[in-house]
Amino acid sequence: MNKIIAMVRKELLDAARDKRSVMAGLYYAIGTPLIMCGLFMVLIGQLTSPDDLKIRITNPDKAPDLVRFLSNKGITQGETGTKDLKAIELIISPDYAKQMNQGKGAEITIVADNSEEKLQNSIRRLEKQLQAYSAEMGSLRLIARGIDPRVVQPLKVNIHDQATTDSKGGMILGLAIFTMIYSVFISGMNLAIDTSAGERERNSLALLLSHPLTTRQLVLSKIIAVGLFAMLGLVLILLVSKVAYAFVPWQELGFSVNITSKFMALMLLVGIPVALMAACLQLFVSFMAKTFKEAQSYLTMVLFVPLALSMAASYNIAPEVLQWLPVSGQQQALMDFVKGKDLPLLQLLVSTLGTLAIALILAFGMEKSLKSEKVVFGL
């Protein structure tokens, strides 16, 4: 045990000397919550107080009531010479007033390029307000004929939403959980490559194996060192998220997002086996690569597997079998917890045991491969 502790200290000291490499792995844990909160704040600002939409209106004098209605909803005639005039145009038929007086369908035309992503929200906003005005005019026509407008609404649908403010916030936290789990894989990746393929390129791996140290002790020390960095990334992203998410005005959308101490404790507990699996996976792949750059390329592709599992769990597009698999199973259990549901202990236990089993298999694979001269010397 003393040898393993000494080796772990050696790995951590080597990592601490290369501060740029260490921080490159931790930038994700620090920066991701800040970027996400900034984007949420901008999005909430746009949803709660949308900017006035400037459009070009042809023949506005033919439908003054419609123009006034749109103006009250923040959709106005653009000024001559502005670029907004070329984006969306509303053409009112010259016979609009005549058609309305006769109780016919008055023709209006929206001219816009729906392939432009920046215009799609504005087009939908205009269409929604036109439909609202159309429904209002239809009700007035029925009233004028002595008909109750409710006649054309045979169903009165009442929606009773059982979601609480915390459970609604759980949908946002589901995305946050995805970034937290992925930080476990990102934070220790540089150290995993440096302590395996990097040491082999510096010819220090063979020197380590020449010491009175078993291959198993060497493998365990490297797994522990990389796992500690992975957990450090998880701790950082939890702390930054707890502070940053508190500044986002979630109440504007009618829910709250709280990163509680219980959630942080559960996240750290769940993150330990994930960190061990991530460390074993990254070290195993790096030892199989012959060069430092080759290890980086391989890991970039390999990390798509946990990324895909995590994304499938985040967006609820995964088949039920994934709730028993590593990464996706733990993430779904955490999402149930933050939504106020009962924690699925069996699902969490099975996915955790699967995670530890994969880590154990990879660790034995590394131990066996380091007994080969081809792997040690990169032949």
Side-chain angles (χ1 to χ4, degrees), residues 140-155:
L140 291 176
R141 285 182 176 181
L142 290 174
I143 293 173
R145 288 163 174 77
I147 302 173
D148 191 338
R150 289 174 293 184
V151 171
V152 296
Q153 297 176 345
L155 292 180

Side-chain angles (χ1 to χ4, degrees), residues 23-56:
M23 289 306 299
L26 299 179
Y27 281 149
Y28 174 89
I30 298 172
T32 302
L34 298 177
I35 294 173
M36 286 182 60
C37 289
L39 292 174
F40 280 130
M41 291 176 73
V42 173
L43 180 61
I44 291 173
Q46 291 181 347
L47 292 175
T48 54
S49 56
D51 297 332
D52 287 346
L53 175 61
K54 301 288 186 179
I55 64 172
R56 180 179 177 181

Side-chain angles (χ1 to χ4, degrees), residues 5 22 38 117 170 195 200 205 302-303 314:
I5 294 174
V22 171
E117 295 180 358
T195 194
R200 184 168 52 201
L205 181 60
V302 168
L303 290 186
S314 295

Side-chain angles (χ1 to χ4, degrees), residues 87-294:
I88 302 176
E89 181 181 3
L90 179 65
I91 301 176
I92 299 173
S93 171
D95 298 329
Y96 178 92
K98 181 180 178 181
Q99 292 167 343
M100 289 291 286
N101 290 332
Q102 294 176 352
K104 298 179 180 179
E107 294 183 6
I108 55 174
T109 305
I110 300 174
V111 180
D113 186 355
N114 206 23
S115 64
E116 291 191 22
E117 295 180 358
K118 294 181 179 180
L119 288 181
Q120 289 177 359
N121 288 334
S122 298
I123 296 171
R124 285 195 294 269
R125 180 180 170 187
L126 177 59
E127 289 176 345
K128 182 180 178 181
Q129 296 305 327
L130 290 174
Q131 289 171 0
Y133 182 79
S134 177
E136 185 176 318
M137 291 298 102
S139 298
L140 291 176
R141 285 182 176 181
L142 290 174
I143 293 173
R145 288 163 174 77
I147 302 173
D148 191 338
R150 289 174 293 184
V151 171
V152 296
Q153 297 176 345
L155 292 180
K156 183 180 180 181
V157 180
N158 296 317
I159 299 175
H160 179 63
D161 190 359
Q162 294 181 328
T164 63
T165 55
D166 290 334
S167 63
K168 290 178 181 178
M171 295 185 291
I172 301 296
L173 274 179
L175 183 60
I177 292 171
F178 160 70
T179 62
M180 291 171 186
I181 290 181
Y182 198 57
S183 71
V184 174
F185 291 89
I186 296 295
S187 300
M189 185 174 67
N190 285 340
L191 177 59
I193 298 173
D194 185 68
T195 194
S196 52
E199 280 192 353
R200 184 168 52 201
E201 285 190 352
R202 295 191 296 269
N203 297 319
S204 58
L205 181 60
L207 183 62
L208 281 175
L209 290 172
S210 66
H211 285 73
L213 188 74
T214 65
T215 307
R216 180 168 297 179
Q217 290 171 335
L218 179 66
V219 168
L220 286 176
S221 63
K222 291 184 179 297
I223 291 173
I224 293 172
V226 176
L228 286 175
F229 263 81
M231 289 302 296
L232 175 61
L234 181 58
V235 171
L236 283 175
I237 197 171
L238 281 171
L239 292 176
V240 175
S241 297
K242 184 173 179 61
V243 175
Y245 277 74
F247 288 95
V248 181
W250 303 111
Q251 64 278 3
E252 298 287 341
L253 298 180
F255 59 82
S256 60
V257 175
N258 298 315
I259 298 180
T260 62
S261 300
K262 289 184 179 180
F263 167 73
M264 295 176 69
L266 181 62
M267 186 76 227
L268 290 174
L269 188 63
V270 170
I272 293 173
V274 178
L276 290 175
M277 186 189 72
C280 293
L281 176 64
Q282 292 165 351
L283 286 168
F284 181 83
V285 173
S286 298
F287 275 125
M288 293 299 102
K290 293 184 178 181
T291 63
F292 191 95
K293 291 184 177 180
E294 190 176 339

